[in-house]
Amino acid sequence: MKTRIALIGLAALLAVGCAPSIKLKVLEPAPVNFGAARRLSFVQGEGNRSARDWMLAELASQVHKAGYFTFADRSGEGFSVAIAGPQVQLYGGRAPQGPDEILLRVDVLQWTAYPEQRTENHTDGKGNAYTTTEMVLTGRVVLGATAVSPQGAAMLAQQQYVGSRSKAGMGVRAEVMLEEAGRAAVAELLRSITPRTVQKSLRLDEDDDAQKPMLELAKAGEIVKATEQLRAYLASHPDSPEANYNLGVFLDVQGRFGEAIDLYTKADELAAKDYYLKAKADCEKRLADVQALSR
């Protein structure tokens, strides 16, 4: 009996995996959400001067490559960002902060390279244990980031981002390891604040043969034409759960999340299929993400 249940479960999984679908690309907020802000401006940094200058150049380079934010160095404009625990206060500045601009203070809290002896235990092909010892040079960089929103709110307050890189060998240079560690710390900072584009698959419902030509149009990229045809079909078949659901998918793909949610809801009322509810929940999250990125 248990084997039969397991086989039924596997068949269900395979059916879902083979179900027709169309792709959707969506933008998801970062762990630290800056809302509608699209400009990052560096206004202050403390720590070793050469390390700070290198970090600023690396930050500008990585922001540019990521392509979401624009970046500016406003450190010469007299801004001062004071930090007291979770409280942040902004002072000065010759020009005001823009309505879509985040002001950044990034301090270099640690910029060190140190050698260490590393011992590892091994076992050879005959089962004999032995150890090896080698010298390793490690670079470690710790950045402290503070971010101020256009409304004066502290989005970050001396949040730490760590980069560490190690390499064995006598000819390893400290500056190389420090730069590798610094790149990792900057990348960690940007991952925490930069929204990312992800691709999702939206399942289609092929249970109604009359809708299959419209689904094929959508899968071929003709989403607007497929939407028009399916909307006309739904007008004459308002109680078709498949038509309500598939039209919801078409609108979901086009970013019309509110309309899609209504159609998913209607489809679920007409025929309770598990993936109808999942599509609705996923669409509600996409709508919430869009709203979070527009504030």
Side-chain angles (χ1 to χ4, degrees), residues 199-277:
Q199 182 169 277
K200 305 286 186 180
S201 291
L202 299 186
R203 179 176 175 175
L204 296 167
D205 188 341
E206 282 194 321
D207 286 352
D208 182 358
D209 289 341
Q211 295 176 46
K212 287 185 178 179
M214 306 166 212
L215 304 190
E216 292 302 320
L217 271 178
K219 287 188 287 182
E222 297 283 350
I223 190 68
V224 174
K225 187 174 181 180
T227 300
E228 293 172 353
Q229 291 185 10
L230 187 52
R231 198 183 291 279
Y233 181 86
L234 181 60
S236 57
H237 300 79
D239 293 328
S240 164
E242 296 86 2
N244 278 278
Y245 172 79
N246 286 326
L247 184 57
V249 171
F250 292 175
L251 295 175
D252 200 343
V253 169
Q254 296 173 72
R256 296 161 67 174
F257 302 130
E259 295 173 78
I261 290 167
D262 290 342
L263 287 161
Y264 289 148
T265 301
K266 179 68 178 297
D268 183 64
E269 291 171 352
L270 293 168
K273 298 181 182 180
D274 289 345
Y275 61 93
Y276 284 5
L277 278 178

Side-chain angles (χ1 to χ4, degrees), residues 99-126:
D100 65 341
E101 181 181 27
I102 296 292
L103 300 185
L104 283 176
R105 169 177 169 169
V106 184
D107 300 331
V108 180
L109 305 178
Q110 185 177 356
W111 184 269
T112 56
Y114 51 91
E116 57 183 339
Q117 185 172 287
R118 185 171 294 175
T119 301
E120 294 186 1
N121 298 318
H122 308 274
T123 303
D124 65 19
K126 297 181 179 180

Side-chain angles (χ1 to χ4, degrees), residues 43-245:
V43 296
Q44 187 181 359
E46 302 296 332
N48 177 282
R49 183 175 181 81
S50 61
R52 193 174 70 239
D53 290 345
W54 183 93
M55 178 276 301
L56 176 57
E58 181 65 21
L59 182 61
S61 174
Q62 290 198 31
V63 170
H64 177 72
K65 288 178 182 177
Y68 182 82
F69 294 109
T70 60
F71 186 81
D73 178 5
R74 299 185 64 186
S75 57
E77 297 185 24
F79 283 104
S80 176
V81 180
I83 308 165
Q87 303 301 315
V88 175
Q89 186 66 51
L90 179 67
Y91 300 97
R94 291 198 296 268
Q97 181 178 4
D100 65 341
E101 181 181 27
I102 296 292
L103 300 185
L104 283 176
R105 169 177 169 169
V106 184
D107 300 331
V108 180
L109 305 178
Q110 185 177 356
W111 184 269
T112 56
Y114 51 91
E116 57 183 339
Q117 185 172 287
R118 185 171 294 175
T119 301
E120 294 186 1
N121 298 318
H122 308 274
T123 303
D124 65 19
K126 297 181 179 180
N128 299 314
Y130 68 98
T131 61
T132 59
T133 302
E134 61 182 355
M135 292 303 297
V136 174
L137 185 65
T138 296
R140 178 178 167 84
V141 172
V142 180
L143 304 178
T146 300
V148 181
S149 75
Q151 294 75 35
M155 311 302 289
L156 293 170
Q158 198 70 349
Q159 178 67 43
Q160 292 190 9
Y161 298 93
V162 180
S164 181
R165 291 293 183 270
S166 300
K167 190 173 183 179
M170 299 301 296
V172 181
R173 294 163 51 200
E175 58 267 31
V176 172
M177 301 315 300
L178 282 169
E179 289 184 1
E180 289 188 9
R183 288 189 188 94
V186 170
E188 187 67 21
L189 164 59
L190 291 181
R191 272 193 295 273
S192 78
I193 65 174
T194 307
R196 65 189 187 113
T197 300
V198 296
Q199 182 169 277
K200 305 286 186 180
S201 291
L202 299 186
R203 179 176 175 175
L204 296 167
D205 188 341
E206 282 194 321
D207 286 352
D208 182 358
D209 289 341
Q211 295 176 46
K212 287 185 178 179
M214 306 166 212
L215 304 190
E216 292 302 320
L217 271 178
K219 287 188 287 182
E222 297 283 350
I223 190 68
V224 174
K225 187 174 181 180
T227 300
E228 293 172 353
Q229 291 185 10
L230 187 52
R231 198 183 291 279
Y233 181 86
L234 181 60
S236 57
H237 300 79
D239 293 328
S240 164
E242 296 86 2
N244 278 278
Y245 172 79

